Amino acid sequence: MPMVSIMLCLFFRLDEDGKVLMPEEVLYRAVQSVNMSHDAAHAQMDVKFRSLICCGLNEQVLHLWLETLCSCQDIVEKWYHPWSFLRSPGWVQIKCELRVLTQFAFRLNVLHEIPKRKSVQREVLESVRDMLIKHYLYSWDL
């Protein structure tokens, strides 16, 4: 696929076949992406959650994700207390507030909270340097 087609697919949330992705599909892909990138770094669930929120803001679908979640009674009843705001009709108010955020173009870094890994070569160099220093310091005959 030419580079321009790939960029258009990404920009307009199209899959490789050119069809528009539903918010549920974007959510599924975002969850997969966050899990893959964050599991390697052993990130905590709260970090994954904040990264998922960043994905939703970047894609301008956060309000649609909330609607998807709250529309599924089985999930809401399983994971939220009876007195939870998301189990009341009040979740629609939150959705309306989140919809306002679609007026802004977010470009948040999903990997912001993931510590940056040193390059493997740099790690090897530091290990060798430490080994040589220790060898030099402790190899003296006293």
Side-chain angles (χ1 to χ4, degrees):
M1 185 180 287
M3 187 60 156
V4 174
S5 296
I6 293 172
M7 293 304 293
L8 287 173
C9 286
L10 292 173
F11 183 75
F12 290 106
R13 285 191 301 275
L14 304 173
D15 69 358
E16 290 76 23
D17 297 329
K19 75 171 190 156
V20 176
L21 297 176
M22 300 296 295
E24 297 86 2
E25 294 169 313
V26 177
L27 174 60
Y28 177 75
R29 289 182 181 197
V31 168
Q32 278 186 318
S33 174
V34 167
N35 279 335
M36 285 177 51
S37 61
H38 289 54
D39 284 347
H42 306 291
Q44 299 294 323
M45 294 300 283
D46 59 331
V47 174
K48 287 183 177 184
F49 178 72
R50 287 189 295 269
S51 295
L52 190 62
I53 297 298
C54 290
C55 287
L57 288 170
N58 289 343
E59 296 293 328
Q60 297 182 331
V61 292
L62 192 58
H63 66 290
L64 298 173
W65 288 358
L66 181 70
E67 181 178 18
T68 299
L69 172 71
C70 292
S71 297
C72 186
Q73 286 294 21
D74 293 338
I75 292 175
V76 173
E77 288 173 3
K78 179 178 180 181
W79 295 104
Y80 294 93
H81 292 289
W83 58 87
S84 170
F85 197 71
L86 293 183
R87 286 186 71 172
S88 74
W91 69 265
V92 176
Q93 179 183 356
I94 297 174
K95 179 189 169 203
C96 293
E97 297 298 327
L98 291 174
R99 186 183 300 133
V100 173
L101 296 175
T102 62
Q103 298 174 12
F104 304 100
F106 288 96
R107 296 292 170 246
L108 302 172
N109 183 0
V110 177
L111 301 175
H112 174 71
E113 293 187 79
I114 301 298
K116 297 189 178 21
R117 279 190 42 93
K118 297 177 185 176
S119 70
V120 174
Q121 183 179 7
R122 185 174 191 101
E123 287 178 6
V124 170
L125 287 175
E126 288 177 3
S127 297
V128 169
R129 186 184 71 216
D130 288 345
M131 182 182 66
L132 290 173
I133 290 171
K134 288 175 184 173
H135 174 73
Y136 177 76
L137 290 174
Y138 298 112
S139 65
W140 291 68
D141 289 331
L142 297 177

